């Protein structure tokens, strides 16, 4: 009896055996080909590295052609090609070259354990300015966010124009796609990077392979969302009824109810005139009342009697007499007699000295 957990896991260091000619000795029956266009600014680089591309594809017996007039690259199988999947890898190789991925990374696609993923991000955001900001967020300051993502996923990532090209193992490509799409949905890549770092540490523990990792992974909540202000006037919905509302009465129905419908034209006109005259009379009466308001005298305030000064307080006559005596002694604007005599003596001494 074998434990189910051992059947689900792949042994460390195990690799799938390489596909050789012995697996397909007769080769392919039909010729397959793929072509892709490349932008003008890639022409100079492709000229330089094309011999290396032909050499790398020649090992797998795949032909490569570069057409500079049309601006296209073509790969085709030959009679010697024995690996049916080689043409698919060659197709991915020319696609990555057209999307500004350097050849030093591109040739890795020919390995068995390496794949590529081209994520289109141009149509995920409506506004161009918002798209540029979020794409810059994916790169990070001086490319630090992208570098951290590459180290955690073991993938090479290239952000170019409206696409993101990723090259690496299948498990890493899955994580890269998730991070890129979340970033375009306004979820910062740092949250996904933190989750990947925790997963990397948990994967080292063999006991946790069969357990759920939900309790270890962080759960981020949005804190910057403001609560919607409730309106002052709330419209309460009425209870749903399957029956339609009653039909409003027409003018004829109203006339029938009041008996006006059966009157003659002359009588109807007379009735209308009477109603108009009654309205006019009410309006005139209201206007006259407003005019008469100006002639109504205002109410006079009642006269308030002043209280008599209380004679209870006694006047100190002697104190007043002393004040009067002191005032008589002092002359307004003049010095006292003693000060005048001293001043006169000082002036005489000055004269004698001269």
């Amino acid at each position: 009896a074998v434990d189910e957990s051992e059947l689900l896991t792949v042994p460390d260091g195990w690799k799938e055996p390489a596909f050789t000619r012995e697996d397909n000795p007769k080769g392919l029956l039909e010729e397959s080909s793929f072509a892709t266009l490349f932008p003008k600014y890639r022409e100079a680089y492709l000229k330089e590295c094309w011999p290396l591309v032909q050499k790398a594809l020649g090992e797998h017996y795949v032909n490569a052609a570069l057409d500079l007039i049309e601006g296209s690259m073509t790969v085709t199988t030959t009679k010697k090609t024995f690996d049916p999947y080689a043409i698919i890898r060659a197709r991915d190789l020319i696609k990555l070259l057209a999307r500004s991925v350097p050849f030093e990374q591109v040739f890795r696609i020919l390995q068995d354990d390496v794949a590529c993923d081209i994520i289109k991000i141009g149509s995920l955001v409506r506004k161009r300015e918002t798209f540029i900001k979020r794409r810059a967020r994916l790169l990070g300051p001086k490319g630090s966010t992208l570098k951290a993502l590459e180290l955690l996923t073991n993938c090479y990532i290239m952000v170019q124009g409206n696409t993101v090209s990723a090259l690496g193992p299948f498990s890493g490509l899955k994580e890269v796609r998730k991070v890129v799409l979340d970033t375009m949905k306004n979820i910062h890549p740092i949250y996904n990077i933190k989750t990947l770092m925790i997963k990397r540490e948990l994967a080292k523990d063999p006991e946790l392979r069969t357990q759920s990792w939900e309790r270890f992974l962080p759960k981020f909540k949005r804190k910057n969302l403001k609560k919607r202000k409730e309106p002052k006037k709330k419209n309460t919905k009425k209870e749903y009824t399957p029956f339609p509302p009653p039909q409003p009465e027409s003018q004829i129905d109203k006339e029938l109810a009041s008996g006006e419908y059966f009157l003659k034209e002359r009588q109807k006109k007379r009735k209308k005139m009477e109603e108009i005259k009654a309205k006019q009379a009410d309006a005139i009466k209201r206007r006259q009342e407003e005019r008469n308001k100006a002639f109504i005298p205002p109410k006079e305030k009642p006269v308030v009697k002043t209280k008599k000064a209380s004679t209870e307080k006694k006047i100190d006559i002697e104190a007043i007499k002393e004040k009067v005596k002191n005032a008589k002694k002092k002359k307004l604007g003049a010095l006292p007699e003693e000060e005048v005599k001293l001043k006169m003596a000082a002036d005489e001494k000055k004269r004698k000295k001269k």
Side-chain angles (χ1 to χ4, degrees), residues 278-293:
K279 284 181 182 177
Q280 285 176 352
D282 288 339
I284 289 163
K285 192 179 178 182
R286 239 180 280 119
R287 235 178 280 131
Q288 196 66 36
E289 284 175 359
E290 286 178 6
R291 285 175 186 170
N292 291 337
K293 281 179 184 178

Side-chain angles (χ1 to χ4, degrees), residues 44-77:
Y45 181 79
L46 290 172
K47 269 186 189 178
E48 290 178 9
C49 72
W50 198 249
L52 298 170
V53 173
Q54 286 178 326
K55 186 182 178 183
L57 292 173
E59 292 175 3
H60 296 269
Y61 305 102
V62 177
N63 286 336
L66 178 67
D67 192 347
L68 297 174
I69 296 165
E70 290 184 4
S72 65
M73 293 179 281
T74 312
V75 287
T76 54
T77 56

